[in-house]
Amino acid sequence: PQAAARLVNALADAYLAQNVQRRAAEADKSLQFLEAQLPELRQQLETAEVALNEFRNRHQTIDIPGEITALLSQTVELEKHRLELDLRRRDAQARYEPAHPIASALRDQIASVSAQQKRIGDRIRALPKLQQDYLRLARDVEVSSQLYVSLLNNAQQLRVARAGTIANVSIVDRAVVTEKAAKPRRALVVAVGVLGGAAAGFLLTQLLAAMRGRVRDPGELEAALGIHVSATVPESAEQATIDKRKLKEPFLLAQQRPTVGAVEALRTLRLNLQLALADTERGRTILLTSAIPGQGKSFVSANLAFLIASAGPRVLLIDADIRRSSIERYLPVHGERGISDILRERLDPAPFVRADVAPNLSVLPAGDGVDNPGDLLTEERLRGLFAWANEHYDVIVVDAPPILPVSDAVVLGRFADVTAFVVRHKKAAQADVVDAVHQFRLTGAPVTGFVFNGFVPSRVRHGYGGRYGYYRAGYGYGNERRA
Ligand SMILES: Nc1ncnc2c1ncn2[C@@H]1O[C@H](COP(=O)(O)OP(=O)(O)OP(=O)(O)O)[C@@H](O)[C@H]1O
Ligand SMILES: [Mg+2]
């Protein structure tokens, strides 16, 4: 009997260990890759900074016109985008066959970015030699520091994910060897049955209550729905401060504070959604929705649209939340007519678009409030609008209404190529998100990923705030705290 108990226990332990290991292995692989890149990138950054400083010392009085600054930010964006894609490609090489759709999508994207770089390169070569040199050096510094910070961010996310990896099986009871031979004892069986039943009932109600709980860690949602987190966007202190002041003028974080953590995370989101788009056939329309209001759809849509546009493609941001539009908090559009008018009166969308609210970014406002958005948001009325948008823009970002209060939003799913569900840390009930995703999937539209928004790391649980802050301060990216 001892041997039998040992055997059973050993089997159970081995199973548990293997289960944890398998779950952690995936995160480990990516993390190892990133950690191997980090020292190299840091070296690159230091070298680039030294070179730029030397150049500045040598040419104290170089003239830097505004055109150069604009070119600089464009080349930085493109170069960074290309490097990010290149890293992803090297990571993908280790995991997939060359013919895998992800690998080929990455190659296509790299080719298109290189083509854009070539066009800008031609403009730069037309400049005086000294300005060209300055531009090249300044670009190297910008690109390596941004890339370094964003990789640090990714590595942190993976470390958190790995540390949180626990088995999804557990050992209920270990095998023990009894002293006496077994024989049925009726009273005991009845007592255990009654108490056990009561305990099980109690546990079940607790479990249900916990499921109604707020989302603190998207891992359970990922497991329950088979959808992954496309990006974790930290809570932004700057955005919160601005929100408190209730300003009349719009404020766009990605434009005003391009280097803070939340914007870095939105760049990760941009990359992941663009890769997902590249995998689809039409590949143009990104839909953002959420289970309930207030999760950050408008915040994410506006900033994401801006970031995509700043890398080159022509972007149309559609404010499809006609009940409670709030795009004007982020971008300069107010009280204009828009999508509700277009749908109601079946009008041509072109005159309603606010062109170039930022470089390459146009906005289609929500328009006048209406009493019956459900009647307007019909597949038949929307078809013309999306056909028109697909014809005139490279990327369409849709700020959709939340799903649960009014399910008319799900019809928008028919026109989306990729859909991201915004889930706000501690502000969404897990059960609501599960419900909403199920409703959304009924239309046949898949959900591509979660945006885990407003994440506030708890120092007690993760304890890495300090270290992260140290790196950021050390490399001149302390804006988050200075502001
Ligand atoms: N990561 C973040 N950091 C700080 N503030 C944020 C963040 N995300 C969103 N917010 C703020 O939270 C509030 C709600 O966000 P937002 O309006 O984008 O949500 P929404 O999902 O569009 O809501 P609604 O359904 O009402 O349209 C806004 O004041 C926004 O600025
Ligand atoms: Mg909104």
Side-chain angles (χ1 to χ4, degrees):
Q2 265 93 357
R6 271 204 303 276
L7 179 67
V8 171
N9 284 335
L11 266 177
D13 285 340
Y15 180 57
L16 196 71
Q18 192 206 30
N19 182 276
V20 175
Q21 221 172 35
R22 202 174 283 160
R23 282 164 62 90
E26 206 32 37
D28 250 358
K29 226 188 244 165
S30 299
L31 189 58
Q32 267 173 20
F33 177 78
L34 281 184
E35 275 173 347
Q37 306 297 324
L38 281 171
E40 193 187 316
L41 273 171
R42 196 166 131 177
Q43 186 58 47
Q44 267 174 27
L45 173 58
E46 278 163 11
T47 320
E49 277 176 339
V50 170
L52 180 62
N53 276 337
E54 271 172 11
F55 180 86
R56 281 217 183 97
N57 290 339
R58 234 176 311 124
H59 310 279
Q60 309 248 341
T61 54
I62 174 174
D63 177 32
I64 303 178
E67 184 206 3
I68 302 277
T69 328
L71 271 176
L72 179 62
S73 73
Q74 279 177 32
T75 45
V76 165
E77 270 302 319
L78 280 174
E79 178 68 9
K80 213 183 101 199
H81 195 166
R82 195 184 59 79
L83 286 172
E84 275 174 351
L85 286 170
D86 198 50
L87 275 175
R88 298 273 300 224
R89 186 184 55 82
R90 275 155 57 193
D91 186 26
Q93 247 171 11
R95 300 204 222 180
Y96 309 112
E97 298 281 308
H100 190 281
I102 291 193
S104 72
L106 280 165
R107 276 196 302 275
D108 290 352
Q109 290 228 326
I110 291 176
S112 113
V113 172
S114 301
Q116 289 182 44
Q117 276 185 317
K118 191 159 171 306
R119 280 200 297 278
I120 290 211
D122 291 343
R123 280 174 60 193
I124 292 178
R125 268 187 291 283
L127 296 170
K129 169 90 173 58
L130 213 53
Q131 294 183 355
Q132 277 188 41
D133 289 346
Y134 168 79
L135 206 63
R136 190 170 41 78
L137 293 168
R139 182 201 65 184
D140 288 350
V141 170
E142 256 314 280
V143 169
S144 8
S145 66
Q146 288 192 19
L147 197 65
Y148 183 66
V149 171
S150 108
L151 279 199
L152 270 182
N153 184 353
N154 284 353
Q156 281 306 359
Q157 284 182 20
L158 282 172
R159 263 180 227 126
V160 173
R162 191 186 50 176
T165 314
I166 43 164
N168 53 4
V169 296
S170 62
I171 299 174
V172 178
D173 259 328
R174 300 196 146 268
V176 288
V177 184
T178 53
E179 319 248 282
K180 285 184 273 175
K183 107 175 169 237
R185 275 169 294 183
R186 188 170 280 183
L188 188 68
V189 169
V190 171
V192 167
V194 170
L195 287 178
F202 177 73
L203 280 180
L204 190 67
T205 49
Q206 288 293 304
L207 194 73
L208 286 176
M211 274 175 55
R212 280 272 152 209
R214 311 264 141 168
V215 179
R216 284 165 188 279
D217 166 0
E220 282 168 45
L221 276 179
E222 291 191 312
L225 293 162
I227 298 169
H228 288 287
V229 172
S230 300
T232 297
V233 181
E235 176 76 14
S236 151
E238 285 84 0
Q239 183 66 48
T241 315
I242 296 286
D243 287 346
K244 254 189 237 124
R245 280 198 235 142
K246 301 214 182 328
L247 299 179
K248 282 270 185 311
E249 310 84 70
F251 174 88
L252 192 66
L253 194 68
Q255 192 169 29
Q256 312 285 347
R257 305 273 189 283
T259 56
V260 300
V263 176
E264 281 303 336
L266 286 162
R267 289 199 180 92
T268 306
L269 179 66
R270 169 181 71 181
L271 182 63
N272 285 331
L273 293 181
Q274 284 186 322
L275 286 174
L277 272 185
D279 276 346
T280 64
E281 225 165 77
R282 285 175 300 171
R284 279 175 201 270
T285 308
I286 299 172
L287 184 84
L288 286 127
T289 185
S290 62
I292 54 168
Q295 305 285 293
K297 290 179 301 297
S298 304
F299 167 80
V300 172
S301 322
N303 284 286
L304 177 72
F306 174 83
L307 288 174
I308 297 176
S310 67
R314 289 164 303 162
V315 179
L316 177 68
L317 171 63
I318 300 183
D319 185 356
D321 195 354
I322 39 191
R323 281 193 182 78
R324 322 173 13 140
S325 99
S326 52
I327 282 297
E328 69 277 2
R329 301 231 314 271
Y330 306 98
L331 290 163
V333 287
H334 340 253
E336 271 136 310
R337 305 214 316 147
I339 176 167
S340 51
D341 307 277
I342 296 170
L343 295 179
R344 190 191 311 108
E345 297 161 40
R346 299 174 189 271
L347 301 169
D348 170 23
F352 296 87
V353 171
R354 282 289 315 266
D356 296 313
V357 295
N360 299 326
L361 177 61
S362 305
V363 178
L364 184 54
D368 290 339
V370 285
D371 315 325
N372 56 343
D375 297 345
L376 290 185
L377 289 171
T378 62
E379 192 166 347
E380 178 262 324
R381 283 175 198 257
L382 285 165
R383 198 172 294 132
L385 173 63
F386 278 94
W388 172 85
N390 270 285
E391 204 175 296
H392 291 86
Y393 296 89
D394 301 318
V395 178
I396 303 151
V397 177
V398 185
D399 180 12
I403 304 281
L404 287 187
V406 277
S407 62
D408 47 51
V410 296
V411 66
L412 287 161
R414 311 278 296 175
F415 300 94
D417 299 307
V418 305
T419 298
F421 244 76
V422 184
V423 176
R424 188 128 187 206
H425 186 205
K426 296 190 200 158
K427 288 198 178 155
Q430 178 143 331
D432 285 344
V433 180
V434 171
D435 268 8
V437 169
H438 285 320
Q439 280 199 32
F440 190 82
R441 280 177 171 166
L442 287 179
T443 58
V447 177
T448 314
F450 289 117
V451 181
F452 189 46
N453 185 34
F455 176 62
V456 188
S458 122
R459 272 163 195 273
V460 186
R461 276 175 52 183
H462 305 296
Y464 63 77
R467 202 148 57 118
Y468 188 50
Y470 162 76
Y471 280 120
R472 295 171 62 83
Y475 288 90
Y477 278 81
N479 319 29
E480 184 115 28
R481 286 185 287 161
R482 242 183 284 128

